[in-house]
Amino acid sequence: MTPEGRVERLERIAKLFVRAGRRARADLRQQDEKINILINLHMQNEELFARNEERFKKNEERFRLNEERFAQNEERFAKNEERFAKNEERVAKQAEIILTILEFQKQTEEKFRANEKRFARTDKIFIELAESQVETGRNLKSLIKLIREVRNNNAEN
């Protein structure tokens, strides 16, 4: 091989090295960009995780508060159930009282009806008595008139 052939060969090899170096640099730049992108995404994920942790803490506090409220509501419901049971007993007693009152009212109405019939008979008797008194009064007047006439006739004779 001639010295010029060697130099050309060296130049080709040098060009290959330069091209390989350029490719390697470009690949390194791309890898650096990809690594930067990954680092940025990782940092964003860390921020999201931190925010989610805050949200989880807030949610856990809300859940705890809700559990306390539910416990209080359960107590209230239990008290209300007791009150409802007492009210149902009261309503049942009042219903019994009302039924008793209605029965007494029914009996009283029957007595009133019976008394109305009696009063109607008594009214008839009073009317007959009044008519009888009027008749007796007329008869008495006629008798008195007759007695006076007889006296007047006896006194004249």
Side-chain angles (χ1 to χ4, degrees), residues 39 51 79 90 95 132 136:
I39 290 171
R51 280 190 235 146
K79 288 178 184 176
R90 288 181 193 151
S132 175
T136 303

Side-chain angles (χ1 to χ4, degrees), residues 5 87 147:
N87 283 339
I147 291 174

Side-chain angles (χ1 to χ4, degrees), residues 9-94:
R9 192 173 188 188
L10 266 173
E11 282 179 359
R12 278 184 276 160
I13 291 173
K15 284 180 185 178
L16 286 173
F17 274 121
V18 169
R19 283 186 201 144
R22 282 185 184 168
R23 264 184 272 146
R25 280 188 194 156
D27 288 345
L28 278 175
R29 283 186 203 139
Q30 284 180 352
Q31 285 180 354
D32 282 345
E33 288 175 13
K34 289 178 182 178
I35 289 171
N36 286 336
I37 291 171
L38 284 174
I39 290 171
N40 287 336
L41 288 175
H42 183 69
M43 289 171 53
Q44 289 174 357
N45 279 340
E46 289 294 323
E47 289 175 10
L48 285 174
F49 287 139
R51 280 190 235 146
N52 283 340
E53 283 298 319
E54 294 263 336
R55 288 181 188 156
F56 290 146
K57 286 179 185 175
K58 287 179 183 177
N59 283 339
E60 285 177 8
E61 181 64 19
R62 288 181 190 151
F63 289 144
R64 186 188 61 77
L65 291 173
N66 282 338
E67 287 297 322
E68 290 176 7
R69 288 181 191 147
F70 289 144
Q72 290 172 355
N73 285 340
E74 288 296 323
E75 290 173 12
R76 288 181 189 155
F77 290 145
K79 288 178 184 176
N80 284 338
E81 285 180 13
E82 290 174 12
R83 288 180 189 153
F84 289 144
K86 288 178 183 176
N87 283 339
E88 286 179 2
E89 289 175 10
R90 288 181 193 151
V91 167
K93 287 179 183 176
Q94 289 175 350

